[in-house]
Every structure is written in C-alpha cells, then in structure tokens.
Amino acid sequence: MIGIPLSPGVTTAPLLLLDEPLSFWGGSDVATGEITDARHPQRGTSAAGRALAFDGSRGSSSSSTVLAEQIRRGVAPAAILLRRPDAIVALAAIVARELYAIEVPVVVLSAGDFDALPRTGTVTVAATDESAEVRIEEAGRR
Amino acid sequence: MKHAISEPALTGAQRAMLAGRHGDGAALAMRVVVRLARALGADRLITVDSAHVDGCLFHGQVGIDLVERLISGGARVAVPTTLNVGSLDLLHPGVVRGDAGERADARRLMDGYVALGAEPTWTCAPYQLTERPAYGRHVAWAESNAIVFANSVLGARTDRYGDFADICAAVTGFAPRVGLHLDENRAGQDLFDCSGVPAGTFAADVAWAALGHLVGRRSGTRVPVLTGLPGDADEDRLKALGAAAASAGGVALFHAVGLTPEAPDTATAFRGRAAERRFEVTAADLRAACGELTTAPDGRLDAISVGTPHFSAAEFRALAALLAGGPPFDAGIEFWISTSRAVLAEAERVGDAAICRRAGARILVDTCTYIAPVLRASARVVMTNSAKWAWYAPTNLGIDVVFASLAECVLSARAGRVVRDPALWAAS
C-alpha cells in the first residue's frame, strides 16, 4: 500500500496495532519503550523495535520529546503507521533524524488501508521524503 | 486523506535561511519547520510575532542536544520569546528535590534556552506578563493553557505547538500556515448553552473551572461556543475555564459569547455556520464535573496546591484578603502557591506575598508542583482549586485530589482537614 511520508526511513519489523491512541509522555517508559498508561488496553506491551500502528497520538505535546528520546536510546518503534497526520509524532522523528541521523519512518495510511491492517504480521516500510510504500507479510487475522 | 505530500512555497528569505545563510542553527530550525509544514499539508509559512517555548522542561538528553546544536550553530531567537516552566525553582534552590544529576541536566537545558536569547520568564501563564500578543496577530505558543488563552481571550492566533516546533518557530520567526492560524478552523463547532444555570452559580470561581472541565470532556479538540454566561468574567475565570478545557479535552480555542474577542454574538462565533452539536448545561452538570475532579472522600488532607496555571497578582490579592488577620494554617498542612517570578515580584511589592507567607503558605516559582518533586513524599491527599492540577496529579504524582474553591482551601488549611463551604452552591 502507498502512504504519505511524514519522515523517511526503511525498515522491516513486527506489527503492533494499538487498540487506542497513546500519549508517549505519561503513557510509555522513556527508557524501555514499554506502554505504561494504566488505562491503555495494551499496557505492559513494548513498542520498542515494532512497527507501531495507531490512529494518532493523544495528550501532552511533551510526547515529542519522549518519543525522540526513545529514538536516541534505541527503544523507539522501528516505524510508525498513522491513520491521520500527527505533528507530535512527526516532530519526534524529524528532530531525531536531524540530531542523530537515526531514521524512524512515519507514514500516514489512507483510512481504508489503515482499517485493513491485520492484527499481527511483519511490516516492511520504505519511505523517502516524497513517497512511502508499506508491505505486510505473514499477516495474522484481525 | 486530507493532503498529498507537497512542498510549502517558500519566499527567497526563507530559502536563504534553509540554505544556511543565517548559520547552521537557523538552517536546522528551518528544516524542522519546513518538514513539519509538509507533514501537516501547509501550502506556505506564516510570520509569527512571538513565541512561547514549552521545551525547557527536562524529559531527556534529546532536549539538551537540540538546544545545544542550535547554540553551536549560532542560532538566536528571531522574535520575542518567553519560556514556560522548567524543572527547577532557580530563586529557591533546594525546594525541588530529586537526583542531583537530573537537576544538573534540567539546569543545563534551562540555561541553554536563555543562551538562545529567550526571556527567562519560566511561566505557564505568559499572558500575565506586560507584553501580550495583539488581537489577530500570529504567534507560536506552546503549553496547552497558554495556547487556549492566546486564541480565546487575547484573540491572537496560534496552532497547538509543542516541544521542538516552539523553539524552531522562535529561531526562524516562521510557522506552518495550518490549523488555528486559518479563519475556517476558528469557527465554532459545538454550542454549550449555559442560560439554564442560575446566575449566582457563576459568582463562584469554581464554577468556571468546572464548566471548562465539562466542555473539554465533551468537545475534545473541537471549538466550543459558550452562551448564557454572565458578561463580567475576569481573566482569571477565563484562565480557569480554558486550562480545564485544554487538559480534560484538548480545546485550543473557545468562544464565550459576549466575553471573548471573536464572539461578540453567537452568529459571529460560528462564522455564520450552524452548530454541529448542542448541549444544555445545568448546575447539576457543573456539580458533577466538580465530583469528577475529586478522588478522595472528605476528611484527611495533607497539602494544598494553588496556582496551576500560575497564580496571578489578582489571585494573590484575593488570597491575601482571605488570610489577613486570620489564624495561621494548621501545622500538618503544606500550602503551596505556584506562580511566576514576575507575579511574585508584584505580590512582594504590594505586600500580598508577605501576608500569605505569614499564614504559612510557601511560594514556588519557575516550575510547578505537579511536574517537579516539591510536595513532601508523605502527602497522599491534596486539595487544589485548579481543575488542571486535579486532572493530572493522580496520574503524575500518584496521589488523591480534592477539587475545591480558594475559600475552601483556606478553611481546610486552617482546620487541617477537608472543610467544605456550605455557601458555595447556595445561589444555585
């Protein structure tokens, strides 16, 4: 599927589809990438190294710093797939790329493509500044 | 999808900055602004008059790395830039506890922003300072309560800026032309009719915070229009309303008809469109909102925290009037006032700060009691008149909260336990 790149990068990673939005600040462990929000259905799951798919972030704008810090520490998602453009997530990837030359691709999928994402699977993301391609392999039932 | 990727159209001056003509630091900031503009689908950038930066609160090394890359690249802020709270009280060292290494990092981050030319205001309420954005002007403000105040009460225009975007807009003087900078996104969407609430109810400050909480819960990030409010609300009431709506929901702009600049009447607030949703607000709704902001039963109380957003000079005056000549606070209660160094200087000058201290209050500046470890570790139940503090503290600090009026805070501080003011809702 073809998406809109908010920040470029190339990676293959296991999919983690979130059932609810996430605030990285207050909702995830900056040192490990684990989801810690007590009210989140996937609390206890780690997003580190996963292709994290969610509608968009919620909550504090400090989430940009927390996600960028996770990228610096190597515990961030390997890629992020969104249902809508999200400035907080985009800024984290943009700034981490500037400071550390680490690329975490951030891609917006169409609502149809996003809703068709499987529950599990392996995702390959290839995003440049101009275009983004997302391939799902070994898809598990949603 | 809302937009396809396209480059924002840049002016010659903007392209020169991108190409490094103003130094590597400005070029870095410009790349961030332009990439953000692309991500949000902006057709071009707008010039901003001022910036308010939230990124000076320490969350990790990345914050220091960005500010120091900007400094080493020769960057300076291009527009008047105020700074939000940091993680330390620089005027009262030792008040904020915590690991020495983290305190040193927090200080390094705060110093870095000052080195970029930002003003060391350290306040979440920059609208209490003398210089304020003019009606209709574009600014790049971060911090949710400052954003909603700038948009709704001052009638300036800022989108929801946060970490990184704020300082990059300050250094470049530009921001993406999107969101609340645009007329069409400033039209009201939800109508909250408050005409059924007894007029006397809004004589209590607590009703304004409760209304903000209710509006935030129902409107989320939409634009609410409030009708039927008394026309004499001061800025502190609008501050309480906006801060609650911003933290419980994500409201960045509200229109209070007859009170705020873009809402002289309902039709103007909706920019001629129809309300998409309508809510009738009752006194019972406001009472329920107060209940939602309280997690502890009446009884034990360890501490009181007021001033989130920062206490204003008028609030100092009101608290001093409640305290003057009265008995001191119970020795078992910690009473904290969070404010800015600028407001504290004024409260010192007129004597209000001394009255508050004499009663037993402690004053914190440059930071805030819910983001820095200030309350004693044994504090389990804390009273506050701030809906924002009440909303965040159970999660951030792991404590129980009692939402109350300023007068109830004083009664309770003297008694050493939760005391309710029976007159509070009597008018309703």
Side-chain angles (χ1 to χ4, degrees):
Chain A
M1 51 189 82
I2 301 297
I4 293 177
L6 301 191
S7 199
V10 178
T11 192
T12 299
L15 177 66
L16 174 59
L17 178 67
L18 293 188
D19 298 325
E20 274 187 26
L22 177 69
S23 172
F24 287 91
W25 181 78
S28 73
D29 187 325
V30 70
T32 65
E34 184 185 312
I35 295 169
T36 53
D37 179 348
R39 284 171 280 198
H40 202 283
Q42 278 136 315
R43 179 189 187 187
T45 307
S46 177
R50 313 283 290 272
L52 184 70
F54 66 137
D55 280 11
S57 61
R58 71 174 167 203
S60 170
S61 54
S62 295
S63 286
S64 296
T65 301
V66 171
L67 178 55
E69 179 70 7
Q70 288 174 342
I71 297 174
R72 186 186 76 84
R73 292 174 182 232
V75 297
I80 295 178
L81 306 177
L82 298 167
R83 201 173 188 278
R84 54 179 161 81
D86 185 310
I88 288 172
V89 171
L91 279 163
I94 290 167
V95 167
R97 182 178 173 224
E98 278 289 341
L99 295 179
Y100 312 117
I102 304 171
E103 293 191 335
V104 172
V106 179
V107 176
V108 181
L109 298 176
S110 70
D113 281 349
F114 188 94
D115 293 341
L117 285 175
R119 190 79 209 163
T120 61
T122 300
V123 179
T124 297
V125 181
T128 66
D129 278 328
E130 282 73 39
S131 64
E133 193 186 343
V134 176
R135 270 201 333 273
I136 316 279
E137 291 131 29
E138 304 162 32
R141 235 158 30 102
R142 181 146 182 168
Chain B
M1 263 177 280
K2 281 187 183 146
H3 66 276
I5 226 58
S6 64
E7 290 296 333
L10 300 182
T11 64
Q14 290 163 349
R15 281 198 301 273
M17 193 179 287
L18 199 56
R21 291 266 291 281
H22 300 271
D24 292 346
L28 188 166
M30 196 62 172
R31 283 196 297 279
V32 173
V33 171
V34 171
R35 285 178 184 153
L36 179 64
R38 284 175 50 130
L40 298 176
D43 61 348
R44 58 192 160 92
L45 308 182
I46 45 149
T47 304
V48 295
D49 283 358
S50 73
H52 180 69
V53 169
D54 188 41
C56 44
L57 181 65
F58 183 76
H59 296 291
Q61 180 67 31
V62 64
I64 292 175
D65 288 345
L66 176 65
V67 77
E68 294 189 352
R69 263 283 290 281
L70 291 170
I71 293 167
S72 67
R76 296 278 298 173
V77 298
V79 293
T81 300
T82 46
L83 291 169
N84 206 57
V85 292
S87 310
L88 298 171
D89 180 339
L90 300 180
L91 295 189
H92 308 105
V95 166
V96 175
R97 300 188 312 275
D99 172 76
E102 190 154 315
R103 283 211 309 271
D105 285 341
R107 180 63 198 256
R108 189 168 151 195
L109 182 67
M110 291 170 84
D111 288 347
Y113 275 101
V114 176
L116 285 173
E119 298 164 43
T121 49
W122 315 125
T123 181
C124 57
Y127 44 83
Q128 291 170 355
L129 302 169
T130 319
E131 296 292 323
R132 311 205 300 179
Y135 175 83
R137 303 298 298 186
H138 295 281
V139 299
W141 276 25
E143 158 58 37
S144 66
N145 100 81
I147 292 167
V148 69
F149 196 97
N151 277 320
S152 315
V153 184
L154 302 180
R157 295 181 170 210
T158 180
D159 204 34
R160 295 178 179 84
Y161 293 103
D163 293 2
F164 309 139
D166 48 18
I167 187 60
C168 292
V171 164
T172 59
F174 299 109
R177 186 177 171 277
V178 290
L180 293 171
H181 292 294
L182 301 173
D183 283 350
E184 61 262 34
N185 297 327
R186 298 180 70 84
Q189 294 170 290
D190 294 340
L191 178 70
F192 289 83
D193 179 0
C194 305
S195 56
V197 177
T201 298
F202 285 111
D205 290 347
V206 72
W208 295 82
L211 176 61
H213 180 77
L214 179 152
V215 165
R217 294 285 271 168
R218 292 187 183 169
S219 261
T221 57
R222 297 157 64 83
V223 179
V225 175
L226 294 79
T227 60
L229 293 170
D232 59 351
D234 62 15
E235 289 198 355
D236 286 323
R237 289 176 168 184
L238 297 172
K239 169 183 91 163
L241 167 63
S247 51
V251 172
L253 166 65
F254 67 83
H255 299 299
V257 173
L259 280 166
T260 63
E262 288 166 73
D265 54 64
T266 307
T268 307
F270 281 101
R271 291 185 176 261
R273 299 181 207 166
E276 293 164 26
R277 304 189 301 176
R278 287 184 68 97
F279 302 98
E280 311 286 330
V281 179
T282 66
D285 291 332
L286 299 181
R287 271 206 199 85
C290 288
E292 247 184 61
L293 290 165
T294 295
T295 64
D298 285 1
R300 173 185 169 170
L301 186 65
D302 303 311
I304 292 167
S305 175
V306 299
T308 307
H310 276 162
F311 227 40
S312 70
E315 286 171 317
F316 256 114
R317 169 74 6 138
L319 180 57
L322 287 168
L323 296 176
F329 296 155
D330 182 89
I333 296 282
E334 274 189 309
F335 192 112
W336 285 98
I337 301 168
S338 292
T339 190
S340 67
R341 47 176 67 196
V343 166
L344 176 58
E346 173 63 12
E348 300 276 19
R349 193 183 65 79
V350 299
D352 292 337
I355 294 170
C356 294
R357 280 204 194 89
R358 214 155 34 235
R362 301 182 67 184
I363 299 171
L364 183 72
V365 300
D366 300 347
T367 185
C368 174
T369 49
Y370 84 85
I371 53 172
V374 173
L375 299 176
R376 66 174 168 240
S378 60
R380 306 305 327 148
V381 183
V382 182
M383 178 178 275
T384 180
N385 69 337
S386 160
K388 177 169 182 167
W389 206 96
W391 184 242
Y392 282 131
T395 310
N396 280 8
L397 302 175
I399 52 154
D400 279 308
V401 289
V402 180
F403 178 66
S405 71
L406 189 63
E408 286 173 326
C409 288
V410 169
L411 290 171
S412 303
R414 286 171 174 160
R417 61 183 166 78
V418 174
V419 177
R420 291 297 188 174
D421 172 7
L424 186 57
W425 300 93
S428 60

